[in-house]
Amino acid sequence: MSSLQIYLQLAWLLILSALLLAGTGIMAGGSSSAAKKKKVPAIIVFGDSSVDTGNNNFIPTVARSNFWPYGRDFGPAGAGGLPTGRFSNGRLATDFISEAFGLPATIPAYLDTSLTIDDLATGVSFASAATGLDNATAGVLSVITIAQQLRYFKEYKERLRLSKLGEAGAEEIVSGALYVWSVGTNDFIENYYAMPGRRAQDGTVGEYEKYLLGLAEAAIREVHALGGRKMDFTGLTPMGCLPAERVGNRDDPGECNEEYNAVAKSFNGHLRDTVVPRLNKELPGLRLVYADTYDLLDAVVRNPADYGFENAVQGCCGTGLFEAGYFCSLSTSFLCTNANKYVFFDAIHPTERMYNIIADTVMNTTLHVFL
Ligand SMILES: *[C@@H]1O[C@H](CO)[C@@H](O)[C@H](O)[C@H]1NC(C)=O
Ligand SMILES: *[C@@H]1O[C@H](CO)[C@@H](O)[C@H](O)[C@H]1NC(C)=O
């Protein structure tokens, strides 16, 4: 790394720290007018690799990305990047959403023990790459279950309460925070369709979908019982169009797996039309929204040029057809030069630019109600 790169990287870290401090400055002055104006004091995240900002760095699993080329474009251009454990070349949609709410430009990973209360007070991610709503999905690569993410949330709440923020400060954060869920894809593609025997055990895909929706509902109820009120459950993307699923498509190699896409649509439809309205009606004070990402990704994958992309079929890393995680680091000689031209960074996960578009779209269509 050149000294210029090191300098730029340091400069970026300073900017991030300044943003974090600015955020906490507002929080610390609990009675200031700025604090009163900030409707959402924190973004609290549960889910999988789409929203894991580095928790898997701290557990023994192969589902990791805290190495080159991940994070290649994290930070300012030319700085050389910084692998953080995000499965992308830069920031994730939830990082951009945090920024859109006037909160820090990056959401920290809860298991990072260097975090202070001030870092935690503006939001945190409990997410774990390769997890699912189903415990069995998390078991495939020994990652953090949703049940464990909820236990960490309880611990987080307690840490806020026991800090200088006190009971009232902690309550303000927990009740005012926006809770974002992004999970479910792995239950289908890493577990149900991938593991021999799962289908025999779990029944039809419709029955499995119902089971997962029940788990999603239970998790939302638990966060509500712990004081959460503003929530977004993000729908599934057209998972049959992930580069890895195109390659694995036996009936029509290279094309989107339309069966998987239909499953994602069905899951989203039931979530939006049944689960979300029911919970909003039943749980006092709850404001739960469904954020659609399916239509956007579907449009981007079908007409990438309309969004300034050149490639929506292969990931930027390796052959772009199957590599993710450690496989990405093994084939860096094939790394694309400009990830902004790619929808996907590896064979499963979007690039930072795609995540930025997702965040902007979801802010415009759905999350603006919390601003
Ligand atoms: C998942 O596992 C946790 C323990 O880690 C347990 O508390 C929970 O009940 C399990 N959920 C289901 C649906 O089996
Ligand atoms: C979101 O809304 C803003 C303001 O209307 C607009 O400038 C921007 O293009 C929109 N972005 C997306 C991705 O829809």
Side-chain angles (χ1 to χ4, degrees):
M1 213 188 277
S2 76
S3 57
L4 175 66
Q5 281 175 320
I6 290 171
Y7 170 78
L8 286 171
Q9 198 155 307
L10 281 174
W12 171 243
L13 287 173
L14 282 174
I15 291 167
L16 285 183
S17 325
L19 284 168
L20 286 168
L21 287 173
T24 55
I26 289 163
M27 289 314 305
S31 61
S32 77
S33 60
K36 292 272 175 274
K37 269 189 224 125
K38 197 151 273 182
K39 282 200 192 150
V40 169
I43 308 276
I44 296 173
V45 184
F46 300 96
D48 59 23
S49 59
S50 59
V51 289
D52 180 356
T53 53
N55 286 310
N56 280 14
N57 303 348
F58 303 96
I59 61 166
T61 175
V62 296
R64 288 231 183 133
S65 62
N66 54 339
F67 38 74
W68 179 267
Y70 289 103
R72 188 184 72 174
D73 303 305
F74 191 89
L82 185 68
T84 60
R86 287 170 176 78
F87 277 78
S88 189
N89 56 311
R91 291 192 285 155
L92 307 179
T94 37
D95 294 316
F96 289 107
I97 288 169
S98 177
E99 196 176 17
F101 276 94
L103 296 168
T106 58
I107 297 182
Y110 183 68
L111 293 188
D112 180 350
T113 51
S114 72
L115 297 176
T116 64
I117 283 295
D118 289 342
D119 298 332
L120 292 171
T122 49
V124 71
S125 172
F126 299 105
S128 176
T131 204
L133 288 160
D134 182 352
N135 281 347
T137 307
V140 174
L141 294 176
S142 309
V143 296
I144 307 166
T145 60
I146 291 296
Q148 182 60 38
Q149 292 185 29
L150 290 166
R151 280 195 289 274
Y152 283 137
F153 171 56
K154 273 184 226 167
E155 181 187 87
Y156 167 79
K157 216 183 129 174
E158 193 60 7
R159 281 172 73 182
L160 293 180
R161 199 176 66 82
L162 296 175
S163 77
K164 65 185 179 203
L165 297 166
E167 191 91 49
E171 185 48 38
E172 206 172 301
I173 292 167
V174 168
S175 64
L178 173 62
Y179 296 82
V180 177
W181 295 86
S182 180
V183 64
T185 304
N186 294 326
D187 292 304
F188 291 107
I189 65 175
E190 186 191 311
N191 185 16
Y192 185 81
Y193 283 112
M195 305 300 281
R198 289 306 300 178
R199 289 193 234 193
Q201 199 181 318
D202 293 329
T204 66
V205 71
E207 285 163 347
Y208 190 57
E209 178 202 299
K210 217 169 167 186
Y211 172 65
L212 295 179
L213 287 167
L215 295 175
E217 181 168 333
I220 292 164
R221 284 180 189 276
E222 183 157 356
V223 174
H224 177 268
L226 289 165
R229 292 296 176 265
K230 303 168 190 172
M231 300 188 206
D232 155 43
F233 205 105
T234 312
L236 305 183
T237 60
M239 57 192 178
C241 296
L242 299 175
E245 301 312 322
R246 286 181 188 263
V247 170
N249 187 347
R250 280 188 220 142
D251 297 335
D252 210 353
E255 297 301 319
C256 295
N257 183 323
E258 297 303 345
E259 181 187 345
Y260 290 5
N261 286 351
V263 167
K265 268 187 139 156
S266 169
F267 180 92
N268 290 346
H270 288 121
L271 181 64
R272 181 192 60 219
D273 300 336
T274 309
V275 177
V276 169
R278 180 170 57 227
L279 290 175
N280 277 324
K281 204 168 157 198
E282 214 180 288
L283 301 179
L286 178 68
R287 197 164 185 203
L288 169 65
V289 297
Y290 159 81
D292 187 77
T293 53
Y294 189 101
D295 288 348
L296 171 68
L297 262 299
D298 186 59
V300 169
V301 162
R302 291 184 201 286
N303 300 299
D306 290 357
Y307 297 83
F309 292 110
E310 289 176 8
N311 193 328
V313 174
Q314 291 156 275
C316 165
C317 103
T319 61
L321 300 175
F322 70 90
E323 294 94 339
Y326 285 108
F327 290 106
C328 257
S329 68
L330 294 177
S331 50
T332 49
S333 52
F334 293 109
L335 195 65
C336 77
T337 47
N338 184 359
N340 287 339
K341 294 180 178 165
Y342 283 70
V343 175
F344 297 100
F345 188 62
D346 64 18
I348 298 171
H349 304 98
T351 53
E352 176 183 67
R353 183 157 171 267
M354 187 63 234
Y355 273 132
N356 195 349
I357 297 174
I358 292 172
D360 286 351
T361 303
V362 163
M363 283 306 300
N364 281 0
T365 59
T366 314
L367 298 182
H368 60 87
V369 301
F370 298 115
L371 275 174

